Amino acid sequence: MAEAGSSSEELCDETNWVFYKYRVEWKDVTPVPQDDGPYPIVAIAYSEKFQDIYDYFRAVLKSCEKSERALQLTKDALDLNPANYTVWQYRREILKHLNKDLIPELHYVKEVIEDNPKNYQVWHHRRVIVEWLQDPSYELSFTKTVLSQDSKNYHAWQHRQWVIRTFKLFENELQYVDHLLEDDIRNNSAWNQRYFVINNTTGFKPDVVEQELAFTLEKIKKVTNNESAWNYLRGVLLHHSGGLSQVQNVRKVCEELYSSGNRSPLLLAFLVDICEENIERADGDKADSLHQAVQLCDMLANEYDTIRREYWNYIARSLTQRVNGSEEEASGSTKTDLNC
Amino acid sequence: MAANVRSFEAIKKERFKDENCPTPTSEEQMKVEESVEQLFDLFSKIVEIDLDAPTLLRLHHATFLKKSLTYLPNAYQCLDASRPWLCYWILHSLELLDETLATEDISKIVQFLGKCQCPEGGFAGGPGQFPHLAPTYAAVNALCTLGTEEAYSIIDREQLQKFLWSVRSPDGAFMMHPGGEVDIRGVYCALAVARLVNIYTDALFDNSASWIISCQTYEGGFSGSPGMEAHGGYAFCGLAALSLLGKEQLCDMKSFLRWIVNRQMRFEGGFQGRTNKLVDGCYSFWQGGAFPLLHRILMQEDGNAVSMERWLFHQEALQEYVLICCQNSSGGLVDKPTKPRDIYHTCYTLSGLSVAQHFVHGKANIVGNRNNELALIHPVYNIGLEAALNALQYFQRLHIPQRQPS
Ligand SMILES: [Zn+2]
C-alpha cells in the first residue's frame, strides 16, 4: 500500500509540481540564492525545481526555522540530492526540535536507501534514528533485503555490524552467513561477517578453530581458486598456536591438492608460507625449506602468478637473505652493515 | 610490438576458471573479462598498424576537464555537496596532464573555494553548507595544487585546526562532520590537511594510530571501521594516515602486502577494491598509490631484498588496463568498459597511471607512446609532487596554532 502510494505521488510530481516561490504558505519567506561569488566554478546546470527548493532551504537554514513545513522542505531537497549531508543534519535537528515520532522516519529513510543503497548519508541517518529509538527490531530484516539485491553492499554490512554489536544480536547471524555462502561461496563480505561473528561471540577458542578449519578446508577442496576461503583460513590460523604448518588437516589438504596436480596460485602461495615457517623454526632443515620456497616462488613468478612476479621475486630474495644472514651470524662471521 | 606490452595471446590462460562451480561472483567476473578481452583483441590489431599504441588521449581528456571546470551537466546535481571535490579532481587531472591555467582563472577558482570555506573553520561541499572533512581535504588539495600565494593564504589555519578538534573523538577517530559518520576516511583527511598546512599537533591525533590499526583485518587490508571487510579506498587511507603519523611499523606489513598485491587482476591488469570483486579503474590509485608508500616502508625493514627497479605490482599491466580499457574516446576515463566517464574516475585512473609509469626519483617506465608520460604525484596526498613540496615548504614557515579541545 505504502509503495503504491509513493509511486502515484511520483507521477503527480512530474505534472503537478508547484514551485515553492508560487506557494502561498511560503509567501513570508524570501528565497536565498546560492552565493557562488562572482566566478562560479564547477557550476552545475541545476533544474529549475532544484534551484527553487534549495533557495528555500537556504532561507530556512538562515532563519533557523524548525517547523513542519521546513521538515517537508528537507524531504523535497533530499529527493533531488540525497547526498547533501547539510540537509540531513538539519532534518535531524528539526525532528528533534519538533519531537517527531521516529517510526515514520524509519520508513521514509528505508525508501531513500532502497533508491540509493550506496550513499553514506542515508545510512548514517538511519543509524542515528535507530540510536534515538533504541529499537533495532527492523534492522536485520531491512539489511537482509538490501543485501538480497547486492550481497556485497559495504554500507549495508557496516550498518548490520553496528546493529548486531550495539544491540547484541549475534544469535542467528552465523546461520545467515551460511545461507549467503551457499548462494555464493566467493562472497567475501559473507566470509568477513563469519569472522566478525565468531570474533565477537565465542572467540577463536581451540574447538572453534578446529571446527572452522574443517569448514574452510571443505570449501577450499570444492573451489581451490577461491581467495576468500584461503584468506579466511589464514585468519583462523592466526588463532592457532601451531601456525600454518603444524596443523595436520591443513597440511594434508595442501599436500593432497598439490600431488593431485593442482597448481592454484593460492595453494602455491600457502605452501610458500609453510616453508617460511619452517625456515623460522629452529629445528627444521633451513636450507631445504628455503630451496623449496624459492622453487615455489619461481613457479609463481614465471608461470602460475605472473601478474605478481615482482612480489614473488621479492619474497624469494627476502627469504634467501634471511637464511643466509642468520647463517652468517651462526658461523660467527661479523655481519657487515648492509644498511649503510 | 612494443616490448613492455603483455602478450594478449599468452594471457588468455589467465581467464577466470570457475571450477564447475558458477556463482554470482564468477559469472560477473567472466562477463567483465569478456568485455576486457574484446578490447585487448581490438588493441592487438591496432598495434600492428600503430607501433606507438596505446596512446593516452591527452587532448580529449584535457578538453573534457576544462569544460567541466566551468560547466557541469544536470547529472552532476547529485554532487552538489561535493563541489570542492569536483575542483580537486579536475585540477589534479589537469596537473597530471601538464595543462596549465591562466593566472586569472586560478584566482577565480581560489575565490570560489573561499566561498566554500566556513566561518567555523573547514570547508563545505558548497557555499552555505556545513563544514565536512572530505570537502576540506579536497579544497586544501585543490588550493595546494593551484599553489599561488593567494591560494595558500585563503586557508584559515587557526579555524581549520578548531574544526579538526570539533570532529575528533577521544578514541582518535574522526567524524566526517559534526553529527556525522565515523570511518577511516576521517582520520586520513584530517591528517593530510593538518600535515600539509602545518597545523598538526600530537594532541590532535592522540590515539589515532591505534584506532587505525584496529581497522586492519585478518585479510591484511584496512576496513572503513573495525570489523568490516578490507577495502581498497580504506586501505589507502589507513596506510597513508599511518605514514603521516610516522607509525607505519604498527601495521602488520606482511599481511598488508600480501593482501594488496593480490588485488591486481591477473587478466585485466587493473585493481579490484576487495577480494572477489570486479576490477575498477579508480583503484589504480587507491591500491596502486599505496605501493610507493610500501616501498619506502620495506626499504627500512628489508632494504636488500626490495627491488630498486620497480614497485611490487605489475606496472605495465596496470598501464595497459587504464590505456586500453578505461579511456572514453571523446575524453574522460571510466571504471571499466561499458561504464560512462566521470571526473572522479578520470582523476584516479590518471593518478594510478602516473604511479605505474614512475619509480623512485621519477625513473620512467612508459607503456606505449612516449607522450603518455604524466607528471609525478606525491603519493601520500595525491597532488603533484612539486605542488606538495612547495606547499609544505610554504606552510613550514608559519606558526603552528596550539589550540586545545574546548
Ligand atoms: Zn571506481
Side-chain angles (χ1 to χ4, degrees):
Chain A
M1 281 297 280
E3 273 171 25
S6 73
S7 63
S8 63
E9 218 173 79
E10 274 164 34
L11 283 178
C12 292
D13 247 37
E14 301 304 317
T15 48
N16 296 335
W17 180 259
V18 180
F19 289 111
Y20 275 77
K21 59 189 171 191
Y22 300 138
R23 296 185 187 188
V24 262
E25 67 273 26
W26 283 88
K27 258 203 142 63
D28 57 311
V29 173
T30 311
V32 177
Q34 176 160 273
D35 177 17
D36 270 8
Y39 314 110
I41 299 297
V42 289
I44 299 167
Y46 304 119
S47 67
E48 195 182 351
K49 181 179 173 183
F50 188 100
Q51 210 160 344
D52 175 64
I53 289 172
Y54 276 89
D55 286 352
Y56 279 81
F57 175 71
R58 278 182 286 270
V60 304
L61 196 61
K62 196 173 162 194
S63 65
C64 297
E65 177 180 327
K66 290 172 184 166
S67 60
E68 283 292 341
R69 68 173 184 180
L71 191 65
Q72 181 56 44
L73 173 64
T74 59
K75 201 173 185 176
D76 289 334
L78 292 166
D79 234 7
L80 294 183
N81 181 15
N84 192 315
Y85 58 92
T86 302
V87 181
W88 283 112
Q89 186 65 29
Y90 195 66
R91 182 175 176 85
R92 285 192 285 274
E93 287 173 26
I94 301 175
L95 288 169
K96 260 228 154 118
H97 183 81
L98 297 177
N99 204 14
K100 294 291 286 184
D101 177 8
L102 296 173
I103 297 292
E105 188 67 8
L106 217 48
H107 291 305
Y108 162 61
V109 73
K110 169 179 177 278
E111 282 171 20
V112 187
I113 290 176
E114 281 166 359
D115 291 340
N116 307 274
K118 291 193 173 173
N119 166 310
Y120 282 95
Q121 288 74 32
V122 292
W123 284 99
H124 180 63
H125 187 69
R126 185 160 185 109
R127 172 166 160 170
V128 174
I129 300 303
V130 173
E131 244 167 358
W132 285 355
L133 278 168
Q134 281 299 304
D135 176 8
S137 46
Y138 302 100
E139 300 319 292
L140 293 185
S141 65
F142 172 63
T143 45
K144 192 174 167 182
T145 309
V146 178
L147 290 169
S148 70
Q149 300 296 309
D150 172 5
S151 60
K152 299 174 182 177
N153 180 321
Y154 207 85
H155 301 279
W157 280 113
Q158 201 156 11
H159 184 73
R160 192 173 174 94
Q161 284 200 352
W162 171 75
V163 169
I164 288 176
R165 205 191 325 240
T166 308
F167 299 96
K168 308 270 175 300
L169 301 175
F170 290 98
E171 203 181 338
N172 300 316
E173 191 63 2
L174 268 189
Q175 254 171 281
Y176 176 57
V177 167
D178 276 337
H179 157 78
L180 287 179
L181 289 178
E182 269 162 37
D183 281 353
D184 188 346
I185 193 62
R186 300 181 178 92
N187 181 346
N188 198 57
S189 303
W191 284 98
N192 185 76
Q193 187 73 347
R194 189 174 187 92
Y195 194 91
F196 168 78
V197 173
I198 293 175
N199 210 22
N200 286 285
T201 50
T202 57
F204 286 95
K205 311 180 288 188
D207 58 319
V208 178
V209 167
E210 288 309 325
Q211 166 206 310
E212 289 307 293
L213 289 180
F215 173 87
T216 310
L217 290 171
E218 272 317 300
K219 307 295 179 205
I220 287 178
K221 279 196 273 189
K222 216 171 141 217
V223 186
T224 63
N225 249 320
N226 178 12
E227 191 188 344
S228 297
W230 284 101
N231 289 357
Y232 186 78
L233 182 71
R234 287 177 195 276
V236 174
L237 286 171
L238 289 174
H239 305 273
H240 194 292
S241 53
L244 263 44
S245 55
Q246 295 304 292
V247 187
Q248 279 310 315
N249 46 352
V250 175
R251 261 195 106 108
K252 193 165 150 262
V253 170
C254 290
E255 277 160 12
E256 278 171 10
L257 282 175
Y258 189 85
S259 44
S260 75
N262 189 299
R263 293 295 178 269
S264 156
L266 299 163
L267 169 68
L268 301 183
F270 199 85
L271 293 174
V272 171
D273 284 3
I274 290 181
C275 293
E276 183 180 353
E277 260 191 29
N278 288 336
I279 290 171
E280 272 160 13
R281 248 203 330 277
D283 56 348
D285 182 343
K286 280 189 196 309
D288 188 47
S289 298
L290 175 67
H291 179 71
Q292 277 183 39
V294 170
Q295 225 167 20
L296 286 163
C297 287
D298 284 347
M299 283 164 65
L300 284 157
N302 300 317
E303 185 164 6
Y304 297 107
D305 205 20
T306 53
I307 191 87
R308 275 167 276 285
R309 65 181 182 206
E310 283 304 319
Y311 172 73
W312 292 118
N313 290 336
Y314 159 73
I315 295 291
R317 285 193 301 270
S318 177
L319 289 174
T320 306
Q321 287 180 7
R322 222 178 308 165
V323 170
N324 295 343
S326 64
E327 267 170 10
E328 267 176 50
E329 273 170 44
S331 65
S333 67
T334 41
K335 192 180 164 199
T336 46
D337 189 0
L338 296 162
N339 293 324
C340 61
Chain B
M1 189 191 280
N4 48 2
V5 170
R6 287 193 297 168
S7 151
F8 295 118
E9 253 342 285
I11 63 169
K12 288 202 195 284
K13 74 174 169 62
E14 306 289 358
R15 286 288 302 267
F16 192 88
K17 292 162 200 77
D18 73 2
E19 300 176 75
N20 291 318
C21 179
T23 66
T25 296
S26 62
E27 281 161 8
E28 284 167 28
Q29 174 62 25
M30 287 158 99
K31 239 185 270 165
V32 171
E33 289 183 7
E34 201 67 49
S35 65
V36 167
E37 187 170 73
Q38 279 177 16
L39 289 175
F40 282 169
D41 287 344
L42 183 65
F43 175 77
S44 305
K45 297 199 179 80
I46 291 171
V47 83
E48 282 171 21
I49 309 159
D50 176 7
L51 293 174
D52 252 5
T55 303
L56 179 68
L57 305 172
R58 280 178 169 276
L59 273 176
H60 294 80
H61 301 320
T63 307
F64 167 65
L65 290 160
K66 283 187 168 164
K67 172 122 181 71
S68 305
L69 193 52
T70 50
Y71 171 87
L72 290 165
N74 184 264
Y76 278 84
Q77 249 173 209
C78 60
L79 285 168
D80 183 49
S82 300
R83 291 175 72 198
W85 275 119
L86 296 167
C87 291
Y88 160 62
W89 294 331
I90 294 168
L91 293 174
H92 181 50
S93 303
L94 287 172
E95 173 186 37
L96 285 166
L97 292 164
D98 279 322
E99 291 285 333
T100 48
L101 294 169
T103 318
E104 60 269 26
D105 289 336
I106 293 177
S107 178
K108 286 178 187 173
I109 302 167
V110 172
Q111 288 176 59
F112 171 71
L113 288 168
K115 284 281 175 191
C116 298
Q117 191 166 214
C118 304
E120 63 266 50
F123 290 79
Q129 300 175 21
F130 294 159
H132 187 294
L133 269 177
T136 297
Y137 164 82
V140 168
N141 268 1
L143 289 165
C144 291
T145 301
L146 294 171
T148 58
E149 172 75 31
E150 185 193 14
Y152 293 147
S153 56
I154 207 158
I155 302 170
D156 186 336
R157 296 165 62 250
E158 296 268 346
Q159 288 300 89
L160 178 54
Q161 196 189 52
K162 187 176 156 195
F163 170 64
L164 295 184
W165 273 112
S166 76
V167 285
R168 178 192 146 85
S169 66
D171 61 0
F174 282 78
M175 282 179 282
M176 296 309 288
H177 63 95
E181 69 275 17
V182 172
D183 62 52
I184 204 168
R185 291 171 306 152
V187 63
Y188 166 66
C189 291
L191 269 163
V193 300
R195 285 291 195 194
L196 206 45
V197 307
N198 193 28
I199 56 171
Y200 170 94
T201 65
D202 286 339
L204 185 54
F205 295 98
D206 190 30
N207 292 327
S208 292
S210 54
W211 187 84
I212 295 165
I213 290 301
S214 73
C215 294
Q216 191 171 20
T217 84
Y218 68 87
E219 291 193 275
F222 289 85
S223 56
S225 58
M228 283 295 294
E229 184 184 2
H231 177 289
Y234 300 129
F236 176 82
C237 289
L239 189 69
L242 285 177
S243 299
L244 287 161
L245 287 166
K247 300 258 175 72
E248 306 94 322
Q249 72 281 2
L250 293 178
C251 169
D252 178 347
M253 210 45 81
K254 196 174 164 233
S255 71
F256 184 89
L257 180 62
R258 182 198 299 122
W259 176 79
I260 202 166
V261 296
N262 276 289
R263 302 285 62 75
Q264 190 168 22
M265 307 302 274
R266 59 180 58 254
F267 180 71
E268 305 90 305
F271 283 92
Q272 64 187 175
R274 302 181 243 163
T275 306
N276 278 335
K277 290 269 286 176
L278 303 173
V279 70
D280 178 344
C282 67
Y283 293 113
S284 305
F285 176 76
W286 297 121
Q287 311 282 23
F291 283 89
L293 307 179
L294 273 167
H295 177 82
R296 202 176 57 186
I297 297 163
L298 293 175
M299 279 301 288
Q300 289 160 12
E301 292 178 359
D302 200 7
N304 296 306
V306 177
S307 163
M308 290 314 291
E309 301 288 324
R310 292 158 177 282
W311 309 128
L312 283 167
F313 71 98
H314 199 308
Q315 291 166 244
E316 294 83 1
L318 180 62
Q319 293 181 53
E320 281 163 16
Y321 178 68
V322 171
L323 293 169
I324 298 169
C325 302
C326 295
Q327 296 197 84
N328 181 308
S329 56
S330 19
L333 293 101
V334 305
D335 158 351
K336 58 175 72 62
T338 74
K339 295 271 180 171
R341 64 180 177 178
D342 65 75
I343 298 169
Y344 164 83
H345 283 94
T346 302
C347 171
Y348 289 104
T349 48
L350 291 178
S351 304
L353 182 60
S354 168
V355 171
Q357 287 176 337
H358 301 104
F359 188 61
V360 180
H361 305 310
K363 203 174 150 221
N365 171 15
I366 313 293
V367 168
N369 195 316
R370 284 299 306 176
N371 233 338
N372 290 351
E373 184 171 0
L374 296 170
L376 294 171
I377 64 157
H378 189 302
V380 173
Y381 303 105
N382 196 22
I383 58 179
L385 182 61
E386 228 184 281
L389 298 179
N390 289 341
L392 288 167
Q393 195 183 18
Y394 175 90
F395 289 109
Q396 220 57 57
R397 302 194 316 255
L398 306 181
H399 163 77
I400 304 172
Q402 296 294 330
R403 175 175 288 279
Q404 291 298 316
S406 43

